[in-house]
């Protein structure tokens, strides 16, 4: 037994500590996953402890990848919101400019003289009425054009945000799959190493 203990103390693995392994095993004897049938007590202890360390390390890596994804999505949404705010401010400014231009043009219209014939007054009134209608129509067309442009910008922002979020989620999904594959290999390697490098008795005491 002394030789075995000395061997266990020299078994090198970042996931295994012989003293802590025994303590952990005594608290967590219900083993799941890869079979421990045929393993010695020392191998069971080593595998139980190593498996838990690997699981915790993997969990940390997965949480880091998840946090990165969530932080990216948060940043994307914040930038998109800032862009939408700038677009709204731009729309307001352009509409105000169009309104101001229309107002200035209307103020430039000459007043109809009072000392003219009814026929002349009617012609001037009709001309003035048409000029006002044209100014209002131009103003409306300019506003519609601005709103269309802003709508396109908003849609572009929405589409870009959706694409960025989808890419972030897909990147996390791929990272998670890579971690699953990586740690499955680590599990198997550690499992095989323990079975190969840690011995010990698998015999059970016979009942008298």
């Amino acid at each position: 037994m002394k030789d075995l203990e000395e061997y266990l103390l020299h078994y090198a693995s970042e996931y295994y500590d012989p003293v802590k392994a025994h303590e952990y095993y005594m608290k967590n004897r219900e083993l799941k996953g890869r079979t421990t049938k045929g393993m010695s007590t020392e191998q069971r202890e080593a595998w139980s402890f190593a498996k838990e360390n690997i699981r915790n390390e993997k969990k940390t890596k997965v949480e880091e990848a998840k946090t990165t994804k969530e932080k990216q999505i948060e940043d994307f949404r914040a930038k998109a919101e800032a862009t939408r705010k700038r677009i709204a401010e731009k729309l307001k400014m352009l509409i105000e400019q169009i309104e101001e231009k229309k107002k200035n043009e209307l103020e430039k219209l000459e007043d109809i003289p009072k000392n003219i014939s009814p026929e002349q007054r009617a012609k001037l009134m009709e001309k003035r009425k048409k000029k006002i209608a044209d100014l209002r129509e131009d103003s409306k067309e300019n506003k519609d054009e601005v709103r269309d442009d802003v709508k396109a910008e908003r849609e572009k922002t929405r589409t870009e945000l959706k694409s960025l979020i989808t890419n972030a989620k897909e990147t996390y999904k791929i990272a998670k799959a890579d971690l699953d594959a990586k740690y499955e290999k680590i599990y198997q390697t550690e499992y095989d190493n323990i079975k190969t490098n840690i011995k010990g008795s698998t015999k059970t005491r016979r009942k008298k």
Side-chain angles (χ1 to χ4, degrees):
M1 186 63 182
K2 184 178 180 181
D3 291 340
L4 175 59
E5 290 175 350
E6 290 179 354
Y7 181 81
L8 288 175
L9 289 171
H10 288 85
Y11 172 60
S13 171
E14 62 182 301
Y15 304 107
Y16 176 68
D17 180 297
V19 177
K20 292 182 179 179
H22 179 69
E23 294 175 354
Y24 179 83
Y25 178 72
M26 296 306 292
K27 294 179 181 179
N28 303 273
R29 297 190 185 191
E30 184 65 28
L31 302 178
K32 298 179 181 180
R34 290 166 176 79
T35 181
T36 56
K37 184 177 180 180
M39 276 188 167
S40 67
T41 299
E42 290 80 3
Q43 288 172 331
R44 287 170 183 264
E45 290 179 1
W47 172 236
S48 179
F49 186 74
K51 182 174 65 173
E52 181 66 10
N53 283 340
I54 296 169
R55 186 188 72 81
N56 289 336
E57 182 180 282
K58 177 186 175 183
K59 182 179 179 181
T60 298
K61 295 296 183 181
V62 171
E63 285 299 320
E64 288 175 354
K66 184 178 180 181
T67 299
T68 297
K69 176 201 70 174
E70 291 174 348
K71 181 64 169 61
Q72 286 178 333
I73 291 176
E74 182 182 345
D75 290 344
F76 294 150
R77 284 176 173 157
K79 290 178 181 178
E81 182 59 30
T83 299
R84 283 192 289 264
K85 184 177 180 181
R86 287 196 298 271
I87 291 172
E89 291 172 349
K90 175 183 175 182
L91 174 62
K92 181 181 178 181
M93 179 190 70
L94 291 174
I95 293 297
E96 288 176 350
Q97 288 177 351
I98 292 170
E99 280 293 319
E100 185 65 22
K101 180 181 178 181
K102 181 183 72 174
K103 179 182 177 181
N104 291 337
E105 291 296 325
L106 288 173
E107 289 176 351
K108 289 179 182 179
L109 294 177
E110 296 180 359
D111 293 333
I112 298 175
K114 295 181 179 180
N115 55 344
I116 58 175
S117 66
E119 291 80 8
Q120 288 178 316
R121 175 177 291 275
K123 289 181 180 180
L124 291 176
M125 286 287 291
E126 185 64 26
K127 184 178 180 181
R128 181 186 177 87
K129 184 178 179 180
K130 185 178 183 306
K131 182 63 174 178
I132 292 173
D134 289 343
L135 288 173
R136 288 175 175 170
E137 182 62 25
D138 289 343
S139 177
K140 180 179 179 302
E141 289 178 356
N142 289 335
K143 288 179 182 178
D144 289 343
E145 184 177 349
V146 166
R147 290 190 178 104
D148 287 342
D149 290 342
V150 166
K151 183 179 179 181
E153 286 186 59
R154 284 173 174 164
E155 180 60 23
K156 180 183 177 182
T157 301
R158 188 192 70 80
T159 301
E160 288 178 348
L161 175 60
K162 182 178 179 180
S163 177
L164 288 170
I165 290 176
T166 298
N167 289 339
K169 290 180 177 179
E170 187 61 27
T171 298
Y172 168 74
K173 184 178 178 181
I174 293 171
K176 175 66 166 54
D178 289 344
L179 286 170
D180 287 342
K182 174 184 176 180
Y183 279 93
E184 177 61 25
K185 185 176 180 180
I186 291 174
Y187 274 124
Q188 190 62 50
T189 299
E190 196 69 15
Y191 178 79
D192 292 340
N193 287 341
I194 287 171
K195 291 189 70 175
T196 300
N197 298 322
I198 297 179
K199 304 302 179 183
S201 176
T202 58
K203 294 180 181 180
T204 56
R205 184 179 297 177
R206 294 181 180 179
K207 296 181 180 180
K208 294 182 179 180

